[in-house]
Amino acid sequence: LQSYFYLYLNSFTSTIPTQLGQLSKLKSNIQLYQNSLTGSLPTELGHITANMARFEIYGNWLTSSIPTEVGNMKNTPNVHSNRLSSSIPTELGMATTLQTGFYLYNNLLSSTIPTQLGSFVHDLVNTTLPHLHTVEASL
């Protein structure tokens, strides 16, 4: 059973309700991108995002740090183009279930890039892009 939660391309100006994390039957997609959502990414989303096919919440006005629960996700968290601050959680670099990478650009992230991301990038390239012989990246 596929289930979807599509509220993208609207003009919502509220925060993301923590109750969204209680939608345990939601297994496929959460798409809240291109609204005017504010506040933080609720940590409760970690309860349902582990098996999400898509989690897209980019292009809003979210201002918190990135919850450590994103390390539990299986597929790409797409949280670019917000105002997320603080640092990249080390849990993201240690995500053993994350299959395709992540989108964090165009935020207000600071501090240092976790060294764990180097292992993640190495593993991602070796398992999903084995035809590449050289990958240039600077961390």
Side-chain angles (χ1 to χ4, degrees):
L1 177 65
Q2 297 291 317
S3 53
Y4 306 93
F5 190 80
Y6 292 157
L7 291 176
Y8 58 90
L9 296 171
N10 284 290
S11 298
F12 294 117
T13 58
S14 64
T15 59
I16 300 169
T18 58
Q19 293 84 351
L20 190 59
Q22 298 171 359
L23 299 175
S24 60
K25 293 185 180 185
L26 191 60
K27 302 286 184 202
S28 185
N29 298 314
I30 291 179
Q31 295 186 4
L32 297 169
Y33 62 86
Q34 297 293 339
N35 280 288
S36 294
L37 296 171
T38 60
S40 62
L41 278 171
T43 57
E44 291 82 0
L45 290 178
H47 301 299
I48 61 169
T49 55
N51 294 313
M52 283 283 140
R54 297 178 85 169
F55 177 69
E56 297 184 336
I57 198 157
Y58 62 87
N60 284 288
W61 293 95
L62 301 173
T63 57
S64 66
S65 59
I66 299 170
T68 58
E69 288 78 8
V70 297
N72 297 329
M73 294 183 74
K74 181 178 179 181
N75 289 301
T76 309
N78 196 340
V79 295
H80 70 81
S81 301
N82 280 287
R83 301 190 60 76
L84 297 172
S85 60
S86 192
S87 59
I88 299 171
T90 56
E91 289 81 1
L92 191 55
M94 295 184 297
T96 57
T97 58
L98 196 60
Q99 296 175 352
T100 58
F102 42 85
Y103 300 97
L104 300 176
Y105 63 89
N106 199 21
N107 279 292
L108 300 173
L109 299 170
S110 60
S111 190
T112 59
I113 298 173
T115 56
Q116 292 84 352
L117 287 184
S119 297
F120 172 78
V121 171
H122 179 268
D123 292 345
L124 181 66
V125 168
N126 287 334
T127 57
T128 61
L129 305 171
H131 60 283
L132 293 179
H133 298 289
T134 306
V135 173
E136 292 184 32
S138 58
L139 292 175

